[in-house]
Amino acid sequence: MIKKIKIQRWIPSLITAVALAGSASLCQAQLSWTFDNSATIAEWTTSEPAGMTATIAPDPVVVNGQSCMQVVMDGVTSTEIDLKANSSSINEVGYLSVSVVMMIDPNSGTENGATTSYGNLQLASQENGAWPGNATWYGSIFKPAANSFVTYNFNIKPPYQSANGIYFQCPQIDSGHVYSGPVTNYIASITINTIPNPWLMI
């Protein structure tokens, strides 16, 4: 009986604290890129290591009925795609995650030495234009993911910072490997998700 009373008194305090924390995030705009026009695609550049080059198509392409940004690498001299976009300054404390909706062309080459994989995903926020900022490793993209668009979520974790952009590696090959052929990525959207309103969650 004593434990029950303590819990009943504690829950309203928790809800109030979460509500106050969440209400601050409601003041911040949700940042997103949806690749349905050339102007939005133009906000993104490639920033691969020296000697590697990936190519962003200047206009959106339509795949499976979805407008998206197409990015291609040859898989041999270029073995990773590094995308970068600047944004207005955001305080990561008010944000929960970054969601990326993408697929890989099923005809793309796979990673030699791991032929069921198209490589790995990693996303980081940038601080003063520099990598790495707050980085999150996702892991390998396996071939079944190439059959349709998939949403990949990258949680924003402490230590939080003031970020002014996004880096997205998609994919990044394991050290020493190459691909069996060119790799084509289709990215439909990238969204920086705010912390949900706790009242809606309740």
Side-chain angles (χ1 to χ4, degrees):
M1 188 68 180
I2 294 176
K3 289 184 179 179
K4 183 177 180 181
I5 293 172
K6 285 185 178 179
I7 291 173
Q8 287 174 338
R9 290 176 180 173
W10 176 74
I11 289 175
S13 299
L14 174 63
I15 292 173
T16 302
V18 172
L20 290 173
S23 63
S25 70
L26 298 178
C27 302
Q28 303 177 40
Q30 184 181 51
L31 300 178
S32 64
W33 290 267
T34 300
F35 302 105
D36 55 5
N37 61 71
S38 299
T40 305
I41 290 175
E43 294 182 31
W44 289 80
T45 58
T46 59
S47 56
E48 290 80 26
M52 294 189 183
T53 302
T55 304
I56 300 175
D59 299 308
V61 299
V62 177
V63 180
N64 294 350
Q66 177 71 63
S67 180
C68 52
M69 177 170 65
Q70 176 184 286
V71 192
V72 181
M73 65 178 179
D74 65 26
V76 179
T77 60
S78 180
T79 56
E80 67 181 71
I81 296 173
D82 295 340
L83 298 175
K84 174 184 174 182
N86 297 323
S87 71
S88 56
S89 180
I90 62 171
N91 183 349
E92 290 180 348
V93 171
Y95 291 85
L96 179 66
S97 63
V98 179
S99 299
V100 179
V101 179
M102 62 169 282
M103 68 174 285
I104 294 182
D105 190 307
N107 295 315
S108 293
T110 53
E111 181 180 350
N112 289 350
T115 56
T116 59
S117 172
Y118 289 108
N120 305 290
L121 295 181
Q122 183 170 211
L123 184 140
S125 57
Q126 67 180 35
E127 184 176 15
N128 299 321
W131 168 281
N134 195 339
T136 302
W137 177 259
Y138 189 91
S140 295
I141 313 168
F142 294 101
K143 290 188 71 173
N147 298 324
S148 61
F149 282 94
V150 176
T151 300
Y152 298 93
N153 292 304
F154 300 84
N155 293 329
I156 297 174
K157 303 175 182 178
Y160 300 115
Q161 65 180 24
S162 179
N164 57 6
I166 291 290
Y167 278 103
F168 183 43
Q169 294 183 324
C170 59
Q172 179 187 46
I173 204 160
D174 289 331
S175 178
H177 291 174
V178 295
Y179 287 96
S180 59
V183 179
T184 301
N185 281 37
Y186 301 114
I187 302 172
S189 65
I190 297 177
T191 305
I192 305 176
N193 303 303
T194 54
I195 295 174
N197 184 338
W199 297 114
L200 295 179
M201 293 172 65
I202 294 169

